Amino acid sequence: MSDTEILNQLVARYAALKSEISKVIVGQDDAVDSLLTSIFSGGHCLLVGVPGLAKTLLVKTLSQVLGLEFNRIQFTPDLMPSDITGTEILDENRKFQFLKGPVFANIVLADEINRTPPKTQAALLEAMQEKYVTVAGKSYALPNPFFVLATQNPIEQEGTYPLPEAQTDRFMLKVVIGYPKKEEEQEISALLEVCESDIAATSAV
């Protein structure tokens, strides 16, 4: 197979991938391109935008289309590092057994990553850089491939913490999610009306 044929196949598959994503996500073409670029390059991506712009839905849809295992971590002020990486528990044989945390997935969505203190944010550093985590002196390899796609709320919002420079350096791209265009909002409204009609019809049966 020639280089031209390989390139044509890649272009066709990329177009098919975006087509599948567009069945769920309306607009946001630049954000989708940036996410795919980050993943195909083996890097992590930081999504920035106000709540309600379907950042979480975008990442979840991407994982489904790619057929990869997906986990979501909701970052909150009381989240502990062990809630991310996992912890050792005492089993019925009185032996310590490692219970894997949600970071053990192909695509990990770190939702609202700047709503948790820096100490917990730092729990992702080793995983993002080294592709493994260390608990109680033992190292555990993460799945391959492994990507962290994190969402961040504007720092002006109450209850947010600035990301340390050491952590922002772990992200290949920073993608700003903006509001949809007028015609895209109209398309979203039309889709919601169809969904509501389908739900009503199903409930009536």
Side-chain angles (χ1 to χ4, degrees), residues 161-201:
Y161 299 83
L163 289 179
E165 185 177 349
Q167 181 146 332
T168 56
D169 287 346
R170 297 299 192 273
F171 293 99
M172 175 180 289
L173 295 176
K174 177 181 178 180
V175 181
V176 178
I177 305 293
Y179 288 101
K181 301 175 182 177
K182 181 178 179 180
E183 57 272 18
E184 293 171 349
E185 289 183 347
Q186 292 172 341
E187 185 177 349
I188 293 171
S189 296
L191 289 172
L192 289 174
E193 290 178 0
V194 172
C195 291
E196 290 173 357
S197 298
D198 292 342
I199 292 173

Side-chain angles (χ1 to χ4, degrees), residues 73 80-87 98-104 120 122-127 132-135 140 142:
I73 306 172
M80 301 296 291
S82 59
D83 296 328
I84 298 172
T85 58
T87 186
F98 178 62
L99 184 64
K100 293 182 178 180
V103 75
F104 285 86
T120 304
L124 280 179
L125 289 179
E126 181 186 29
Y132 64 79
V133 297
T134 301
V135 177
Y140 302 89
L142 293 168

